[in-house]
């Protein structure tokens, strides 16, 4: 006789079928010649980099994107060897040599990085694939327009010497999630100017790209040769101003669930959780949900975070603790083990990651990305 295992304390269900459908939706938003880079940085925004990368490739993604070289190298080590991977957040002393040997595309934003990648290429005896990043107005990584001619010239010399191949020219938007923000047109103008300079100087890139998720959805003039959807691939709206996930034709990929650990009756005037910021108004029942800020549930959502228990959405009562929080069940008495849904696709009336973002005064990107390793991922639709 085979026994059914008990439900886990908590789990994040990852619907890979939804991810593939989202990629197809995004593909329909771009011209046929435009390639898609599936961004799987930060463990695929908390969803699991390897499985999401494979699902994205199954759905037609052409490239993969990561932030750190170690994220990119992990994909290569797991067997994803025949797809171009761009990694863009390098620091001095990072493993350029391993990146070259793994065939990664490595972003270069300044002379120090070009110098390091050239030295690594000499050491391993192979040509490095690099992409030059332009700071067109975001003010983070990337080369300033005033320094662009020097970087482009040095990269072309290194290319003539056989040390590098400039495979891409790229940048990143600051405010693409704010429709009609004046910086969008300004950045596009700067990007076109920097592209023009590099190409007139002799750079022949494989790809030129600036479009992130919101630009992929709303700014066709920014698509160039490649778009880089991140959060949209996981079915989360890039911003409320652009519309909900459903309005954008996207389906959330992650659902965060837990098993109610305890249900108990308490009298009126009973304090709940640290600091007694919540006190029961009358006799009621409390349910204990075994997830806390150590699992990624934001403490800032104390007293506000929505949770579906049974057929009703409840609210976190009092402070979110490290490992658990409480909901006021209002006299209902679900059995211990009843499912509590913190967020999901919204089909059953459950909250979404966007709802939790509002409750925590943050963005939905943070809600899904912060769910910790203590919460097992359960993959659906593989």
């Amino acid at each position: 006789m085979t026994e059914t295992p008990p439900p886990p304390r908590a789990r994040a269900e990852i619907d890979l079928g939804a991810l593939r459908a989202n990629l197809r939706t995004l593909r329909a938003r771009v011209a046929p010649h435009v390639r898609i880079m599936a961004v799987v940085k930060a463990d695929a925004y908390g969803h699991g980099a390897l499985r999401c990368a494979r699902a994205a490739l199954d759905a037609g993604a052409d490239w993969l994107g990561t932030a750190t070289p170690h994220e990119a190298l992990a994909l290569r080590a797991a067997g994803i060897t025949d797809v171009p991977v761009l990694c863009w957040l390098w620091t001095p002393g990072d493993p350029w040599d391993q990146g070259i040997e793994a065939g990664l595309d490595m972003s270069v934003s300044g002379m120090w990085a070009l110098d390091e990648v050239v030295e690594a290429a000499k050491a391993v005896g192979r040509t490095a694939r690099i992409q030059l990043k332009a700071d067109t107005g975001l003010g983070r990584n990337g080369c300033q327009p005033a320094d662009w001619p020097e970087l482009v010239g040095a990269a072309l010399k290194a290319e003539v010497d056989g040390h590098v191949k400039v495979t891409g020219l790229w940048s990143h938007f600051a405010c693409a999630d704010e429709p009609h923000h004046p910086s969008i047109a300004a950045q596009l103008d700067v990007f076109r100017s920097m592209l023009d300079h590099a190409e007139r100087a002799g750079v022949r890139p494989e790809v030129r790209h600036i479009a992130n998720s919101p630009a992929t959805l709303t700014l066709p003039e920014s698509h160039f040769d490649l778009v880089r959807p991140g959060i949209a691939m996981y079915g989360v709206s890039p911003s409320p101003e652009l519309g909900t996930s459903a309005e954008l034709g996207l389906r959330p990929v992650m659902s965060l669930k837990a098993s109610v650990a305890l249900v108990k009756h308490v009298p009126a005037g009973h304090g709940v959780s640290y600091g007694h910021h919540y006190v029961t108004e009358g006799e009621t029942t409390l349910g204990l949900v075994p997830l806390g800020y150590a699992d990624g549930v934001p403490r800032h959502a104390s007293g506000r975070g929505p949770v579906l228990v049974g057929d009703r959405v409840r609210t976190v009562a009092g402070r979110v603790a490290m490992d658990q929080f409480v909901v006021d069940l209002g006299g209902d008495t679900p059995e211990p083990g009843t499912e509590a849904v913190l967020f999901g696709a919204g089909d059953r009336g459950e909250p979404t990651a966007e709802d939790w973002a509002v409750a925590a005064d943050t963005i939905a990107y943070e809600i899904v990305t912060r769910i910790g390793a203590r919460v097992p991922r359960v993959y659906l639709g593989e």
Side-chain angles (χ1 to χ4, degrees):
M1 179 177 176
T2 302
E3 294 186 359
T4 302
R9 172 186 69 93
R11 65 194 183 279
E13 293 181 353
I14 310 300
D15 185 350
L16 296 177
L19 187 148
R20 289 189 288 267
N22 293 336
L23 253 294
R24 289 190 288 270
T25 296
L26 293 163
R27 170 66 75 187
R29 295 291 189 108
V30 303
H33 74 277
V34 175
R35 283 166 274 185
I36 291 183
M37 177 185 293
V39 178
V40 293
K41 65 177 181 175
D43 199 30
Y45 293 58
H47 294 68
L50 182 59
R51 281 184 161 104
C52 289
R54 287 175 172 160
L57 294 172
D58 287 344
D62 307 285
W63 287 64
L64 297 173
T66 71
T68 72
H70 299 91
E71 292 171 337
L73 291 168
L75 294 175
R76 289 287 194 245
I80 298 178
T81 57
D82 57 350
V83 175
V85 178
L86 173 65
C87 52
W88 50 77
L89 191 56
W90 293 80
T91 55
D94 268 342
W96 299 97
D97 54 344
Q98 295 178 43
I100 294 168
E101 291 172 335
L104 302 180
D105 281 54
M106 299 171 290
S107 184
V108 168
S109 295
M111 289 301 299
W112 76 263
L114 182 62
D115 291 342
E116 287 202 6
V117 76
V118 166
E119 288 305 308
K122 291 177 181 177
V124 301
R126 291 181 58 178
T127 300
R129 292 174 57 90
I130 67 169
Q131 297 202 15
L132 304 182
K133 185 176 184 183
D135 181 0
T136 55
L138 178 58
R140 295 190 323 197
N141 216 344
C143 181
Q144 279 281 298
D147 301 321
W148 188 245
E150 179 189 15
L151 182 63
V152 167
L156 284 169
K157 181 182 183 304
E159 192 169 65
V160 169
D161 293 339
H163 302 312
V164 306
K165 167 62 179 170
V166 181
T167 62
L169 301 169
W170 74 292
S171 189
H172 194 60
F173 280 118
C175 304
D177 56 345
E178 300 178 43
H180 312 299
H181 193 283
S183 70
I184 297 171
Q187 281 196 256
L188 277 172
D189 287 343
V190 173
F191 189 48
R192 291 188 182 103
S193 175
M194 295 175 82
L195 289 177
D196 181 64
H197 173 88
E199 291 170 351
R200 282 190 292 106
V203 176
R204 298 293 179 264
E206 297 174 14
V207 287
R208 303 160 301 159
H209 50 105
I210 189 173
N212 53 2
S213 281
T216 300
L217 290 163
T218 65
L219 296 169
E221 66 271 28
S222 73
H223 291 173
F224 293 92
D225 305 307
L226 179 147
V227 295
R228 306 187 308 267
I231 196 68
M233 185 173 73
Y234 305 103
V236 176
S237 171
S239 79
E241 291 87 346
L242 297 181
T244 64
S245 297
E247 289 168 344
L248 295 169
L250 305 172
R251 181 175 176 79
V253 173
M254 181 188 290
S255 296
L256 181 61
K257 301 178 179 181
S259 296
V260 174
L262 178 69
V263 176
K264 62 185 176 184
H265 292 268
V266 296
H270 201 296
V272 178
S273 196
Y274 292 125
H276 283 184
H277 289 269
Y278 183 84
V279 177
T280 58
E281 293 183 359
E283 183 178 344
T284 190
T285 49
L286 301 177
L288 184 67
V289 180
L291 281 167
Y293 59 77
D295 303 295
V297 177
R299 190 171 182 269
H300 284 316
S302 295
R304 294 187 290 175
V307 185
L308 179 68
V309 181
D311 59 357
R312 290 180 53 193
V313 175
R314 329 284 176 155
T315 303
V316 174
R319 283 183 176 165
V320 173
M322 183 178 290
D323 313 299
Q324 56 199 282
F325 64 84
V326 176
V327 292
D328 190 331
L329 296 169
D332 294 343
T333 56
E335 290 293 321
T338 295
E339 185 176 81
V341 184
L342 280 73
F343 59 81
D347 295 343
R348 297 189 293 122
E350 76 270 29
T352 63
E354 284 94 341
D355 294 326
W356 271 84
V358 170
D361 293 323
T362 185
I363 57 176
Y365 296 65
E366 183 180 354
I367 298 301
V368 294
T369 303
R370 67 186 293 154
I371 302 305
R374 194 165 71 168
V375 180
R377 272 58 171 174
V378 177
Y379 291 91
L380 311 177
E382 284 194 289

